[in-house]
Amino acid sequence: MTEVGFYHLLDQRLDDALAQLLEKAYERGMRCLVLTGSEARSEALAGHLWSYSRDKFLPHGTRLDGRADEQPIFITEREENPNGATALFLVEGGPVEFIGGFERCFDLFDGRDEEAVVAARERWKAAKAAGHKLTYWRRQEGGGWKKEAEA
């Protein structure tokens, strides 16, 4: 089963938290897939990853860039895994059936958006029912993550 971490953001933008988590995954040698809700969102995230830090670089691409199989981080709005990723990053949710093809899943959601919180709770229930290992992380004021629950 997949290890699914739910990341509850309170004081940080999702795009910035995503970049930090992708950095850690990339440093550990993971190939990553970021699933978004639209092509426009995929391209916006790709643009953010080019400019989020003056000191760091995350090699990534989208369908518009081509060569998906060569990208260590691939951003897409489609349920696909063209770069052979082992880590899935959900920035706008996703079906529990798609999660099962990965070793790890990072489900990021904005804790200031009640609809996003409700949707994350539903994804938690679905992932638990599917038998995945779950952890719930809350972003702490001033940085860092604290594990609040697991199932």
Side-chain angles (χ1 to χ4, degrees):
M1 288 292 123
T2 302
E3 182 180 334
V4 183
F6 287 81
Y7 290 80
H8 189 155
L9 300 166
L10 295 171
D11 66 345
Q12 186 179 36
R13 290 183 46 231
L14 189 143
D15 295 11
D16 295 330
L18 174 65
Q20 291 172 347
L21 290 169
L22 283 170
E23 276 180 25
K24 291 181 182 183
Y26 179 69
E27 288 169 0
R28 291 183 175 118
M30 297 173 146
R31 291 183 70 78
C32 304
L33 181 75
V34 179
L35 182 63
T36 71
S38 69
E39 183 177 304
R41 181 71 168 124
S42 294
E43 293 302 320
L45 278 174
H48 179 70
L49 292 181
W50 283 117
S51 62
Y52 81 99
S53 173
R54 301 179 95 200
D55 304 325
K56 298 182 181 179
F57 170 71
L58 285 173
H60 66 280
T62 67
R63 268 187 319 101
L64 297 180
D65 298 319
R67 299 183 181 178
D69 59 324
E70 297 176 13
Q71 304 292 343
I73 299 170
F74 190 70
I75 307 167
T76 184
E77 66 284 353
R78 297 180 180 178
E79 292 175 30
E80 61 183 352
N81 189 2
N83 68 332
T86 58
L88 172 65
F89 289 77
L90 300 175
V91 296
E92 294 163 344
V96 71
E97 299 81 15
F98 187 59
I99 292 170
F102 299 86
E103 292 174 18
R104 301 239 359 234
C105 176
F106 299 76
D107 188 321
L108 287 74
F109 63 97
D110 185 347
R112 297 167 295 194
D113 178 343
E114 187 58 33
E115 287 182 31
V117 172
V118 169
R121 286 183 184 135
E122 291 303 314
R123 291 191 304 275
W124 172 281
K125 290 176 191 173
K128 185 176 181 180
H132 297 296
K133 179 183 177 191
L134 308 178
T135 54
Y136 168 71
W137 300 85
R138 183 182 295 257
R139 177 86 178 160
Q140 301 299 296
E141 283 189 35
W145 295 96
K146 181 178 180 188
K147 187 187 326 184
E148 298 277 340
E150 57 186 294

